[in-house]
Amino acid sequence: MKRRWFFASILFILSASLTLALSSYCLPNSVTLRSLAEKRGIEIGAAVAIPPLKTDPIYQQLLANQFNTASVENVMKFEYLHPQPNTYTFEQADTLVNFAKSHNMKVHAHVLVWHIQLPKWLTEGKFSRDQLITILRDHIHKVVGYYKGKVQAWDVVNEALNDDGTLRNTIWLQGIGPDYIEMAFRWAREADPNVELYYNDYGADGLGPKSDAVYSLVKKLKAKQVPITGVGLQMHVGLGWAPPKGDVLANINRLGDLGLNVHISEMDVQTYDGPGTEEEKLQKAANLYADMMSACLSNRACKSFTVWGLTDKFSWLPGFTGKPQSPLLFDTNYRPKPAYYALIDVLQNK
Ligand code: 9MR
């Protein structure tokens, strides 16, 4: 039985390597997203899932060849790093940080303050305002301090706004009040004087009430000298609902004018809904990727472009939507898709 598994694994690795080699046959080996992005002076990133990073050599190879930044998809969230009041567990996140270091990649750490993926001791506990402040401050000091000098950036506050631009009613807003946002940035800066600090949100990529609210939030933070480096525009979009490129560029421009960096931080494209053959849909998704990369390249404030997953095999979207989706740059067999070639083309020619 063991022998059978051994031969099956060898066969899998050989066939996956062959697939990878054949599928990129039309590009010279030296032309990768990573090499082109480095020439253009921007970072190109993918959100990383830990199980395949630990066990799958093809996943590792693809990640290190094509990307120079790794975003941490899950394992730096509160419930992973701080599962009990006095217990911190860094092992899984360390796997990624060590991988990145040995492949000369940066790490975009995600996330310090969010309302999801919190441990039960926190969500079910009863805490006074002062206690909650102490909990959050200690968490941020400990975690940012632990990764000081090892990660390039932190998403400090994630998704603090509703679609209408009001503040989201989270455990942090209820327990601390609206000041939790600026407190979080200041605590992160105390723990690491050099790391980049981001506000990150979805549905605020183009123009509209939510992106206006993000703009006015970060403008106020800047005016109060809160240490914020930039804004992450998540860019979770779909074939029928994506902001026009011009709106994204206008948004990047106004954030850049505040002296902030912009990070296209979590791009993926839902492909299930909408007309057309599978091939046409993949091409439309490719066009969206090209548009957003081109918007990013149009303003030096946009320094980083990240896709939310390496391959469709591990995307969160099929599970979340309950529908088959083809959201990323590489398919479930790790073959590059039209979206990959579209990004290569934009990086090379536009
Ligand atoms: O991709 C992440 C998925 O594996 C988790 O189950 C999910 C939990 O809500 O979070 C996903 O990542 C989210 C990110 O942390 C913040 N922006 C939205 C992302 C997609 O939901």
Side-chain angles (χ1 to χ4, degrees):
M1 196 59 182
K2 270 194 176 158
R3 274 170 77 91
R4 208 186 289 165
W5 271 111
F6 175 75
F7 286 117
S9 321
I10 296 285
L11 255 180
F12 170 77
I13 290 173
L14 283 177
S15 65
S17 307
L18 194 65
T19 308
L20 256 188
L22 287 176
S23 55
S24 41
Y25 69 97
C26 42
L27 294 171
N29 270 345
S30 56
V31 176
T32 59
L33 292 174
R34 180 174 182 157
S35 65
L36 295 174
E38 282 168 3
K39 271 195 202 142
R40 297 295 296 258
I42 71 159
E43 287 152 18
I44 183 93
V48 175
I50 302 302
L53 182 72
K54 281 187 173 160
T55 57
D56 183 344
I58 311 296
Y59 186 97
Q60 296 166 359
Q61 193 191 339
L62 195 59
L63 180 65
N65 282 347
Q66 297 289 345
F67 299 93
N68 58 14
T69 300
S71 275
V72 190
E73 184 171 6
N74 281 303
V75 296
M76 285 187 179
K77 291 171 179 170
F78 209 122
E79 72 171 355
Y80 283 88
L81 289 184
H82 196 170
Q84 298 297 332
N86 296 312
T87 309
Y88 285 85
T89 47
F90 293 110
E91 291 78 10
Q92 302 222 65
D94 284 350
T95 308
L96 173 50
V97 172
N98 294 335
F99 179 91
K101 188 172 180 209
S102 58
H103 293 87
N104 204 16
M105 299 170 73
K106 293 173 175 161
V107 176
H108 190 101
H110 173 86
V111 50
L112 296 170
V113 190
W114 197 26
H115 57 286
I116 297 178
Q117 289 177 290
L118 297 170
K120 277 210 167 105
W121 67 264
L122 184 59
T123 51
E124 292 176 1
K126 295 266 168 286
F127 303 105
S128 69
R129 179 171 190 268
D130 283 351
Q131 284 171 322
L132 209 54
I133 286 177
T134 304
I135 289 171
L136 189 58
R137 188 186 54 224
D138 289 354
H139 176 82
I140 291 177
H141 278 168
K142 174 85 175 178
V143 167
V144 176
Y146 182 88
Y147 286 113
K148 181 176 169 185
K150 295 183 180 161
V151 303
Q152 190 207 2
W154 269 104
D155 286 335
V156 179
V157 178
N158 193 40
E159 301 171 10
L161 294 168
N162 293 310
D163 290 349
D164 66 1
T166 54
L167 279 179
R168 190 190 288 275
N169 192 14
T170 66
I171 175 177
W172 309 114
L173 183 70
Q174 282 166 21
I176 300 178
D179 287 355
Y180 82 88
I181 296 177
E182 65 174 89
M183 288 175 178
F185 278 94
R186 293 193 199 280
W187 293 327
R189 178 55 74 233
E190 281 165 16
D192 185 340
N194 298 314
V195 72
E196 296 174 10
L197 303 175
Y198 282 82
Y199 176 79
N200 191 50
D201 215 326
Y202 66 85
D205 313 310
L207 298 175
K210 188 164 183 181
S211 82
D212 288 349
V214 169
Y215 176 76
S216 87
L217 170 71
V218 296
K219 191 174 176 191
K220 277 185 206 138
L221 294 178
K222 282 293 276 184
K224 290 168 101 174
Q225 265 128 42
V226 174
I228 174 171
T229 316
V231 173
L233 308 177
Q234 292 186 10
M235 208 62 75
H236 292 291
V237 297
L239 292 185
W241 41 278
K245 174 181 160 186
D247 286 9
V248 174
L249 185 52
N251 199 24
I252 293 173
N253 288 343
R254 67 176 172 173
L255 292 166
D257 288 347
L258 292 177
L260 292 165
N261 289 355
V262 175
H263 178 204
I264 306 290
S265 58
E266 306 188 8
M267 182 153 181
D268 51 21
V269 182
Q270 293 194 33
T271 54
Y272 180 78
D273 292 321
T277 62
E278 195 54 26
E279 212 183 332
E280 286 163 349
K281 288 179 171 192
L282 292 184
Q283 191 50 51
K284 282 187 199 160
N287 297 344
L288 279 176
Y289 272 103
D291 275 355
M292 299 315 161
M293 175 60 91
S294 148
C296 181
L297 290 170
S298 303
N299 186 325
R300 299 302 297 173
C302 187
K303 299 194 184 307
S304 192
F305 186 103
T306 293
V307 288
W308 203 241
L310 182 61
T311 94
D312 289 347
K313 188 172 177 183
F314 301 109
S315 165
W316 68 292
L317 276 172
F320 179 74
T321 60
K323 311 246 167 71
Q325 302 280 1
S326 183
L328 296 166
L329 306 180
F330 296 91
D331 71 12
T332 52
N333 291 315
Y334 299 6
R335 281 181 305 231
K337 295 161 55 182
Y340 170 81
Y341 294 110
L343 286 189
I344 290 278
D345 181 48
V346 176
L347 285 165
Q348 220 161 15
N349 302 315
K350 288 171 191 145

